[in-house]
Amino acid sequence: VMHINPTGIGATANGSGNKTYLEFARNVYACCTSSTTITICNAGGETQHSFLMNTGQSIIFNKKHDEMIYAGSANVTFTPVAYPR
């Protein structure tokens, strides 16, 4: 069982034109309903990292607070989270 504390509202960010800092979160919960690529960019919009999420997959990933994220489709919801203490 995974325990997380949502710290903000979930958001979709489909396509590079819709990338988001997601409230400057460092920990992001991502839930995917259809396979797509997740991209992490620096403030200048340059790709730093990317990875594939499969259909039905949910993960938590880390990013720098000033990095932006987006998905290749609207099938991913990103939620800023913290771990319980």
Side-chain angles (χ1 to χ4, degrees):
V1 174
M2 175 177 54
H3 294 277
I4 58 171
N5 292 328
T7 60
I9 297 171
T12 58
N14 56 312
S16 61
N18 294 314
K19 56 187 168 277
T20 178
Y21 288 106
L22 196 64
E23 301 176 21
F24 296 94
R26 292 179 184 261
N27 303 307
V28 179
Y29 173 76
C31 184
C32 182
T33 59
S34 182
S35 293
T36 193
T37 299
I38 307 302
T39 303
I40 303 172
C41 300
N42 63 18
E46 300 162 324
T47 298
Q48 301 298 298
H49 317 280
S50 66
F51 57 92
L52 177 68
M53 285 190 71
N54 294 310
T55 300
Q57 187 176 21
S58 297
I59 63 167
I60 294 176
F61 66 92
N62 302 313
K63 68 176 195 67
K64 295 176 184 171
H65 74 282
D66 60 349
E67 288 179 320
M68 295 179 281
I69 54 175
Y70 68 91
S73 70
N75 297 318
V76 179
T77 300
F78 299 109
T79 305
V81 296
Y83 297 101
R85 296 186 182 252

